[in-house]
Amino acid sequence: MTLPGDPKLRARLGIVLIGIALAVLPFVVGANFGNSWVRIIDFALLYVMLALGLNIVVGFAGLLDLGYIAFYAVGAYLYALLSSPHLATAFPAVFASAPAWSVWLVLPLGALVAGLFGVLLGTPTLKLRGDYLAIVTLGFGEIIRIFLNNLNAPLNLTNGPQGINNIQSAEIAGQSLGRSFELFGLQIPSVTAHYYFFLALTLLVIFICVRLQDSRLGRAWVAIREDELAARACGINTRNVKLLAFGLGATFGGVAGGLFAGFQGFVSPESFGLLESIMVLCMVVLGGMGHIAGVILGALLLALLPEVLRWGAAPVQQWLFGKVLVDPESLRLLLFGVALVLVMRWRPAGLWPSALRKRELAAHAEVA
Amino acid sequence: MSDPAGTIAQEAVLLSASGVSKRFGGVQALRDVSLTIRRGEVYGLIGPNGAGKTSFFNVLTGLYSPDEGRVTFDGRDLPPGVPHRIAGAGIARTFQNIRLFGAMSALENVMVGRHIRLRTGVIGAILRTPAARAEEAATEARAHELLRYVGIDQLANQQATHLSYGDQRRLEIARALASEPKLLALDEPAAGMNATETGGLRTLIEKLRGDGLTVLLIEHDVKLVMGLCDRVAVLDYGEKIAEDVPDVVRRHPRVITAYLGQQADPEAA
């Protein structure tokens, strides 16, 4: 097969092909592997959003944040409170009926509140870098989780460890995404409808990230990462620019959290532990810090790989040894760990680093 | 101490520091330093190691706040200890140990240098409004212009850390120029340079003066300073011991003492 020579045309052709692939993906996957795999892909899209948000803070601005999942939690709980009967049950005197806010109101609100929390975390940590910042952000993430776990008394705001359930699915153009429905003669299952909804928002997040990266602000973030003192001497207001990175990164986390709550129908503090923060950080680092395409790849791989391993481990053992020797569930984590170690050993800049970052690491290697 | 600001017309003064002191624990890094830089001149600041040159420089560019004294720049008091506002007021600097943004290209380094003169915010950047696009294009064009000015435009897309030492110095100057400074402050620009590179640097600084820029030069290379500067101040143990044209400073007894040491007292011998 020969490709048209014009690179512009080729790029456009590539975009069209990827677009078609993304459009038919849930139907192909759903028909061949079942809807549970479409659901896994939906979650992978949420992780792409989270990783891209964290990439602004860690990848662009170079601020190591180990509590990022807190913003996801804030978005999720805000959505849960505004789309479930919990508030009406807990405070019947104040709320006569369950709030039924439009998703187009709740998501931006979740983004805004998460962004405010981002600034709240950023303000006291402005002078910290590296390990010290990591410890403080880690503490922040835990504080949020512990608050969610304990805010069922004296006022039952979060329903504590039991979490909030009965969360309404997002409703778009009068159609709830929580049930399957028919569109143009096609049966659309709930997971597929969510897929398109998440995909649209993921594309929006990617678009925003790319635009920011190629702007005065994106340059300022990288400048702070590279040399904060020189950045200040260049006239960059490092305080504001860092707070902006924290705030914007948190915003994406808040949106992803809201989507998660609506998709899952249930939130509890368990979903927002330290391991989740580390998982998202792994996606950023493994994919290639500061490189948008790399981060997307990292997020997709780390979200899908464990599921593939879980799915494939038992049949492969059956075929190799005639019986299942190791429980697939424990093997999954083992293989996952080995994969991470191998990647860090052979591709320290990430699987798909940006061109300049690769050169930078090479330069460091020359010096050492 | 004489006040030269009184003897020259006020408009001719670009920067005047009066009574600047800075202490680090028990070390008096700067003691009551006053000096005046006139518009359009190349002003040298020299002194033996540890004399307080870089401390003074850091006070000037906002990295340190002075314990006492103040600095007026272009008719206004400089906000002490706020580097980005000082950059906005029109003082740009380079660093003794070059501090470039290593992972960025030479062009991007200069574009960062222009940050303070740009206005695009989050919304403008995301929507890529016509204003944002025009600003971005102008920034890139200006960055290329500055790289050409310092003579390294052919290296625009090279990663900053891959440039040669002399070119990195030039790139740092281009980055500083990008903020449209009224005063360019160079911290030991000739440090570690060979004779050819120093010659090139000298030509560049002369070109800057020719184009009307005021330059503050901190330097160890006394030959370069004496040959290039219109006026020179000498610091020793945090105090200004001389300030005049190079020929006078060169023969100043306290300067000679500071650099060469005092002749042994014959009676004590």
Side-chain angles (χ1 to χ4, degrees):
Chain A
M1 193 176 109
T2 52
L3 284 165
D6 182 17
K8 224 177 197 170
L9 200 69
R10 212 153 37 175
R12 216 166 284 168
L13 189 72
I15 289 172
V16 170
L17 287 178
I18 291 174
I20 294 172
L22 286 175
V24 300
L25 183 70
F27 291 102
V28 174
V29 170
N32 291 307
F33 302 95
N35 275 341
S36 65
W37 278 92
V38 181
R39 194 182 162 76
I40 289 167
I41 293 174
D42 289 354
F43 274 109
L45 287 175
L46 290 181
Y47 277 116
V48 170
M49 275 186 236
L50 284 175
L52 285 171
L54 184 61
N55 182 47
I56 291 184
V57 184
V58 178
F60 290 163
L63 304 161
L64 185 50
D65 183 350
L66 283 183
Y68 183 69
I69 214 70
F71 308 124
Y72 187 54
V74 166
Y77 266 85
L78 197 79
Y79 187 100
L81 289 176
L82 295 178
S83 314
S84 79
H86 171 73
L87 280 182
T89 324
F91 309 101
V94 188
F95 299 94
S97 63
W101 288 40
S102 156
V103 64
W104 302 120
L105 266 175
V106 181
L107 281 185
L109 192 66
L112 186 75
V113 173
L116 286 178
F117 269 85
V119 174
L120 197 70
L121 165 68
T123 312
T125 58
L126 279 170
K127 301 223 156 142
L128 302 177
R129 282 192 77 88
D131 319 2
Y132 303 98
L133 180 64
I135 295 293
V136 174
T137 52
L138 188 151
F140 176 81
E142 285 299 286
I143 288 169
I144 296 283
R145 189 183 60 80
I146 292 167
F147 258 108
L148 294 175
N149 213 13
N150 292 288
L151 267 185
N152 51 353
L155 292 171
N156 185 4
L157 200 60
T158 65
N159 211 21
Q162 285 153 338
I164 300 174
N165 52 20
N166 282 329
I167 303 168
Q168 294 295 312
S169 290
E171 201 170 286
I172 293 167
Q175 175 61 54
S176 167
L177 299 186
R179 289 181 298 276
S180 72
F181 56 92
E182 220 182 83
L183 192 70
F184 309 127
L186 268 176
Q187 192 65 29
I188 312 271
S190 166
V191 283
T192 305
H194 274 105
Y195 167 83
Y196 289 117
F197 184 36
F198 291 2
L199 182 66
L201 286 171
T202 306
L203 291 176
L204 179 68
V205 166
I206 294 173
F207 174 80
I208 291 174
C209 282
V210 170
R211 282 284 169 94
L212 285 173
Q213 174 185 249
D214 298 334
S215 75
R216 162 179 180 260
L217 293 165
R219 283 196 301 270
W221 285 330
V222 176
I224 290 177
R225 182 187 80 200
E226 293 297 307
D227 191 327
E228 188 165 345
L229 192 67
R232 285 164 73 195
C234 280
I236 293 171
N237 184 338
T238 49
R239 182 194 58 195
N240 291 1
V241 171
K242 277 187 186 179
L243 286 182
L244 190 67
F246 272 120
L248 276 174
T251 299
F252 294 162
V255 172
L259 295 177
F260 168 74
F263 184 42
Q264 191 85 335
F266 168 72
V267 292
S268 78
E270 260 174 64
S271 311
F272 310 107
L274 174 62
L275 269 177
E276 285 291 307
S277 278
I278 291 179
M279 187 66 148
V280 179
L281 185 66
C282 280
M283 292 169 175
V284 175
V285 174
L286 188 95
M289 270 203 279
H291 187 220
I292 291 170
V295 169
I296 296 170
L297 177 73
L300 289 177
L301 271 184
L302 284 201
L304 296 177
L305 197 64
E307 301 302 329
V308 173
L309 289 176
R310 191 201 328 244
W311 169 75
V316 168
Q317 286 186 57
Q318 197 76 41
W319 177 70
L320 275 177
F321 313 114
K323 58 179 177 179
V324 178
L325 289 175
V326 189
D327 170 35
E329 194 57 28
S330 38
L331 190 68
R332 181 173 75 103
L333 281 174
L334 179 73
L335 290 176
F336 188 55
V338 170
L340 278 179
V341 170
L342 288 180
V343 166
M344 286 296 105
R345 171 63 187 85
W346 300 110
R347 298 193 70 91
L351 288 171
W352 190 0
S354 67
L356 274 170
R357 178 116 187 127
K358 208 155 60 184
R359 278 188 261 156
E360 180 194 13
L361 272 173
H364 277 299
E366 275 165 34
V367 171
Chain B
M1 194 167 283
S2 70
D3 177 19
T7 62
I8 49 173
Q10 210 55 43
E11 311 86 73
V13 176
L14 179 62
L15 179 141
S16 89
S18 52
V20 172
S21 296
K22 179 77 191 172
R23 202 175 297 104
F24 295 105
V27 180
Q28 185 84 36
L30 294 170
R31 194 192 307 271
D32 197 25
V33 175
S34 302
L35 48 80
T36 311
I37 300 175
R38 298 173 197 159
R39 284 178 205 278
E41 74 179 348
V42 175
Y43 187 95
L45 187 60
I46 60 171
N49 276 329
K53 303 183 295 284
T54 296
S55 294
F56 181 73
F57 207 82
N58 285 341
V59 165
L60 215 62
T61 51
L63 292 182
Y64 301 158
S65 316
D67 296 330
E68 279 159 55
R70 57 188 202 137
V71 181
T72 1
F73 180 74
D74 207 14
R76 250 176 271 161
D77 272 355
L78 273 187
V82 199
H84 69 267
R85 280 178 59 197
I86 288 179
I91 299 181
R93 69 169 292 175
T94 65
F95 292 86
Q96 188 176 337
N97 45 339
I98 305 173
R99 304 187 80 128
L100 291 166
F101 306 121
M104 296 173 124
S105 70
L107 185 73
E108 285 170 321
N109 266 277
V110 183
M111 288 172 80
V112 171
R114 221 174 149 63
H115 184 89
I116 191 85
R117 303 288 167 226
L118 306 181
R119 289 287 152 261
T120 305
V122 180
I123 305 297
I126 293 173
L127 299 180
R128 206 165 276 175
T129 54
R133 221 175 315 170
E135 191 179 81
E136 197 68 9
T139 305
E140 198 177 326
R142 178 71 183 145
H144 273 298
E145 225 172 89
L146 287 166
L147 285 173
R148 211 169 304 132
Y149 187 87
V150 300
I152 54 170
D153 193 36
Q154 72 283 5
L155 303 171
N157 292 318
Q158 291 277 323
Q159 192 181 342
T161 44
H162 289 190
L163 266 55
S164 73
Y165 188 79
D167 288 341
Q168 289 194 12
R169 287 269 181 219
R170 285 169 183 273
L171 176 56
E172 224 191 0
I173 293 175
R175 184 180 70 186
L177 290 174
S179 67
E180 291 168 20
K182 297 185 180 107
L183 174 69
L184 176 66
L186 304 172
D187 193 355
E188 300 203 14
M193 279 189 169
N194 62 31
T196 324
E197 285 171 329
T198 307
L201 178 72
R202 187 181 167 152
T203 316
L204 178 60
I205 296 174
E206 275 166 353
K207 186 156 96 170
L208 288 168
R209 171 168 51 192
D211 290 336
L213 192 70
T214 313
V215 178
L216 168 63
L217 180 65
I218 292 189
E219 194 42 76
H220 260 309
D221 189 332
V222 176
K223 212 174 98 193
L224 178 71
V225 171
M226 293 301 181
L228 191 58
C229 293
D230 299 296
R231 289 189 311 138
V232 176
V234 185
L235 287 181
D236 190 29
Y237 292 110
E239 273 183 274
K240 188 179 82 174
I241 55 174
E243 181 188 36
D244 216 316
V245 294
D247 274 338
V248 176
V249 167
R250 208 196 306 263
R251 288 192 297 269
H252 197 290
R254 284 191 69 186
V255 175
I256 294 168
T257 310
Y259 269 92
L260 299 176
Q262 193 133 30
Q263 208 164 30
D265 190 349
E267 272 176 40

